[in-house]
Amino acid sequence: MSASWMSTVFMSASLGLQLQRHIDYACCINHIVHNGGLYKRPFNEAFEETPMLVAVLTYVGYGVLTLFGYLRDFMRQWKIEKCQNATEREEQKDFVPLYQDFENFYNRNLYMRIRDSWNRPICSVPGAKVDMMERVSHDYNWTFTYTGRVIKDIMNMGSYNYLGFAQNAGACQEAAAKVLSQYGAGVCSTRQEMGNLDKHEELEKLVARFLGVESAMAYGMGFATNSMNIPALVGKVWFNYLFAFVFPQCLEKLLKDAIVHGQPRTRRPWKKILILVEGIYSMEGSIVRLPEVIALKKKYKSYLYLDEAHSIGALGPTGRGVVEYFGLNPEDVDVMMGTFTKSFGAAGGYIGGKKELIDYLRTYSHSAAYATSMSPPVVEQIITSMKCIMGEDGTTIGRARVQQLAENTRYFRRRLKEMGFIIYGNEDSPVVPLMLYMPAKIGAFGREMLKRNIGVVVVGFPATPIIESRARFCLSAAHTKEMLDTALKEVNEVGDLLQLKYSRRRLVPLLDRPFDETTYEETED
């Protein structure tokens, strides 16, 4: 392969989201694709529209906060209020600004009000329950002071611990400790020099078998798996689109435009088109419509790059990700990428595909050439947890965890909908966004849940559209039904307290039914 193996067209994230939002506001989306056609199982995904009154009040809330922000800036300018935000020195005023005005304004006047809802320090493994270090602020969240008190046994509803392998006891911990004593913490060298160990090669062979591909390569950092390998694949080109969260109809239009119009300035045809998608979108809780994407990929003779950071281990009857979830052939995906930081309780990432692709990346990837190789104990954690999922440890623990996660996901989502909350995403996605909308309710929800010993993640603008702030629950196989019932009871109380039950589609409660592998094949609504 040459360095310019791929001249690419990336499909626009912002454009895709705008198209998605336009349709969301126009109607209440509830996609149900039944058996037949491209899908071998029902595909249920819902995005209920934002109630008009809620949208108006949300804009008003941001407007009021903005007015008070300008008032406080005026008071800071005249030294009436102490100014604690970072600003350029007077002699630097003619330089290019280090801070964008609106971003800095938002940070000091809106974000700072609810800053205590983020970056909460824990002092335990991020398992089903965590221990959190208590902190207080005496200057309205500009700085925090630790009290020395540890809040014990907070129910963890915010970590990507999908299969419950984030633990400091058990087979994984024992295996990692044994490798630590044998190999040490690391070799401080790249894979191309002195950093290649037999453990690395064992892991890559195991990942290839797990994915059902010819070959695979592991990397020490999940983010770098994308940021260092995509440039190695595409070469020196001008990027005009990034495909992220978009309907297949929109993707087809973008593909047609790329083929018809070619490169932006020269109008020369693209050599190749690379489509990038994620298995599970962690902010929306949705699952990629992979059968349709693969059909478009084949129709327009393009290439497909699948990011399974959140879906590997979390979807499919045996945890092999979104490809298995839809019953598809791994050979239809040209580049399979994923991370070990979530379902495997470790660190790093992988890329799998044809041997020719992996051999090329071993030579040209910046992660292979310059990054320190993976720590051996981390590698052993991945090997042990992956073998557990595959059943190669001689037990059914891994399979049971995959099924437990799927059961927890459906149960938690259904109960929240029955209570009247607006829940986004696919019914099989363990990422569960609960819509909050109004800015004042972002911090209020996080604080009220923490008072009840439940840790949740709240998200607002600019990570979401301005009127779509949300709480994001991440379910785990380590959560018991009793824990979920406790969390649901508290969420119900907080929902009544903060008036968060916006849904106008009330569901009739259903009797719980046993969950087994046939749930992946047929769902009775």
Side-chain angles (χ1 to χ4, degrees):
M1 293 186 182
S2 66
S4 59
W5 177 67
M6 286 276 182
S7 291
T8 62
V9 178
F10 290 99
M11 307 304 162
S12 171
S14 59
L15 176 59
L17 283 169
Q18 290 171 11
L19 292 169
Q20 169 72 37
R21 303 296 170 206
H22 176 75
I23 300 173
D24 284 359
Y25 296 148
C27 63
C28 174
I29 299 178
N30 185 22
H31 301 285
I32 302 179
V33 182
H34 294 285
N35 289 339
L38 296 174
Y39 292 84
K40 299 177 181 179
R41 57 178 309 282
F43 183 80
N44 302 339
E45 200 159 273
F47 296 89
E48 187 173 343
E49 66 176 332
T50 305
M52 181 60 70
L53 179 60
V54 174
V56 171
L57 292 176
T58 301
Y59 281 119
V60 170
Y62 275 106
V64 171
L65 287 172
T66 302
L67 289 175
F68 273 94
Y70 281 117
L71 175 61
R72 295 186 69 182
D73 278 356
F74 175 80
M75 296 171 66
R76 293 179 185 123
Q77 184 177 357
W78 290 94
K79 312 299 182 184
I80 301 172
E81 179 180 330
K82 183 179 179 181
C83 181
Q84 302 187 67
N85 59 289
T87 56
E88 287 92 352
R89 292 178 296 180
E90 189 64 35
E91 57 268 27
Q92 295 176 318
K93 293 296 184 183
D94 294 332
F95 292 0
V96 176
L98 294 174
Y99 307 96
Q100 294 186 11
D101 285 342
F102 179 74
E103 285 185 8
N104 205 9
F105 175 87
Y106 179 87
N107 285 339
R108 66 178 178 264
N109 293 309
L110 282 77
Y111 167 73
M112 202 59 62
R113 291 173 177 266
I114 54 177
R115 183 174 171 231
D116 59 299
S117 298
W118 290 282
N119 306 318
R120 291 169 173 160
I122 66 172
C123 49
S124 67
V125 293
K129 291 187 177 181
V130 296
D131 298 336
M132 185 178 296
M133 299 173 65
E134 186 181 58
R135 61 181 183 175
V136 294
S137 177
H138 302 290
D139 53 5
Y140 303 101
N141 293 338
W142 285 96
T143 61
F144 292 99
T145 303
Y146 294 106
T147 65
R149 175 173 172 257
V150 174
I151 308 173
K152 295 283 189 178
D153 294 330
I154 293 178
M155 192 184 303
N156 182 9
M157 301 296 293
S159 294
Y160 300 133
N161 182 28
Y162 295 132
L163 295 183
F165 284 112
Q167 53 193 20
N168 56 3
C172 292
Q173 180 269 335
E174 293 170 2
K178 182 178 179 181
V179 168
L180 176 62
S181 63
Q182 181 180 355
Y183 288 82
V187 291
C188 303
S189 180
T190 68
R191 294 284 300 276
Q192 292 187 357
E193 295 176 324
M194 296 181 294
N196 191 50
L197 302 175
D198 57 340
K199 282 294 177 183
H200 296 130
E201 296 181 5
E202 179 186 352
L203 171 62
E204 290 174 345
K205 291 176 182 177
L206 183 65
V207 170
R209 279 199 295 115
F210 184 67
L211 299 175
V213 295
E214 292 180 7
S215 185
M217 186 173 182
Y219 303 89
M221 183 179 178
F223 174 78
T225 306
N226 277 331
S227 64
M228 295 291 100
N229 286 296
I230 292 176
L233 290 175
V234 302
K236 297 179 180 180
V237 298
W238 185 85
F239 306 104
N240 67 336
Y241 287 117
L242 171 64
F243 169 60
F245 183 59
V246 64
F247 286 116
Q249 295 89 337
C250 305
L251 170 60
E252 183 166 23
K253 182 180 184 303
L254 292 171
L255 285 169
K256 287 180 178 178
D257 289 344
I259 293 171
V260 171
H261 299 298
Q263 300 181 36
R265 294 198 306 177
T266 63
R267 298 302 177 190
R268 293 177 179 173
W270 297 101
K271 294 180 180 178
K272 291 184 175 64
I273 297 175
L274 179 64
I275 303 170
L276 282 84
V277 296
E278 292 184 48
I280 293 178
Y281 293 91
S282 61
M283 197 60 70
E284 304 292 334
S286 59
I287 297 175
V288 65
R289 297 164 173 268
L290 193 59
E292 297 176 65
V293 174
I294 288 178
L296 289 173
K297 168 221 161 185
K298 292 180 178 179
K299 180 179 179 180
Y300 293 98
K301 295 180 174 56
S302 53
Y303 293 82
L304 179 59
Y305 185 113
L306 174 62
D307 181 340
E308 291 214 78
H310 289 270
S311 55
I312 194 68
L315 288 180
T318 61
R320 283 172 167 80
V322 70
V323 175
E324 183 188 44
Y325 174 80
F326 286 112
L328 301 172
N329 188 345
E331 293 182 359
D332 289 333
V333 180
D334 301 286
V335 186
M336 297 185 71
M337 176 269 172
T339 63
F340 301 122
T341 53
K342 301 171 178 69
S343 292
F344 304 96
Y350 66 83
I351 282 185
K354 293 187 180 300
K355 187 177 183 300
E356 181 185 12
L357 167 70
I358 303 304
D359 289 345
Y360 172 83
L361 290 177
R362 291 188 195 280
T363 304
Y364 292 99
S365 168
H366 285 72
S367 287
Y370 303 114
T372 302
S373 61
M374 294 180 70
S375 170
V378 175
V379 172
E380 187 62 24
Q381 163 76 20
I382 302 165
I383 291 173
T384 308
S385 58
M386 190 172 290
K387 284 184 176 180
C388 180
I389 296 170
M390 298 169 72
E392 294 186 4
D393 62 342
T395 71
T396 59
I397 294 175
R399 182 68 171 266
R401 291 193 184 199
V402 173
Q403 296 298 324
Q404 185 64 52
L405 174 63
E407 183 178 353
N408 288 352
T409 296
R410 283 177 172 265
Y411 176 71
F412 195 77
R413 279 182 166 273
R414 175 166 57 78
R415 286 291 307 279
L416 287 177
K417 289 180 180 179
E418 289 170 2
M419 292 175 185
F421 295 102
I422 293 181
I423 305 299
Y424 272 9
N426 193 286
E427 64 179 17
D428 291 322
S429 169
V431 179
V432 185
L434 184 153
M435 305 310 294
L436 304 175
Y437 296 112
M438 300 180 192
K441 296 184 179 182
I442 302 173
F445 186 84
R447 292 166 189 152
E448 288 296 329
M449 292 301 292
L450 187 58
K451 286 179 185 177
R452 292 161 170 80
N453 248 37
I454 299 175
V456 300
V457 173
V458 288
V459 192
F461 179 82
T464 68
I466 195 166
I467 66 166
E468 292 192 13
S469 301
R470 64 199 66 181
R472 188 178 60 177
F473 297 93
C474 295
L475 298 175
S476 170
H479 291 139
T480 64
K481 188 173 185 296
E482 291 71 25
M483 294 173 67
L484 294 181
D485 285 336
T486 301
L488 288 164
K489 175 179 173 291
E490 302 297 348
V491 171
N492 190 37
E493 289 183 4
V494 175
D496 290 331
L497 177 66
L498 301 180
Q499 299 183 5
L500 297 174
K501 298 178 179 179
Y502 301 116
S503 180
R504 290 170 290 183
R505 301 178 341 190
R506 295 289 187 258
L507 300 182
V508 178
L510 300 175
L511 293 175
D512 293 334
R513 65 186 181 90
F515 186 94
D516 55 33
E517 58 190 45
T518 61
T519 307
Y520 283 101
E521 301 168 3
E522 184 176 1
T523 303
E524 296 180 5
D525 294 324

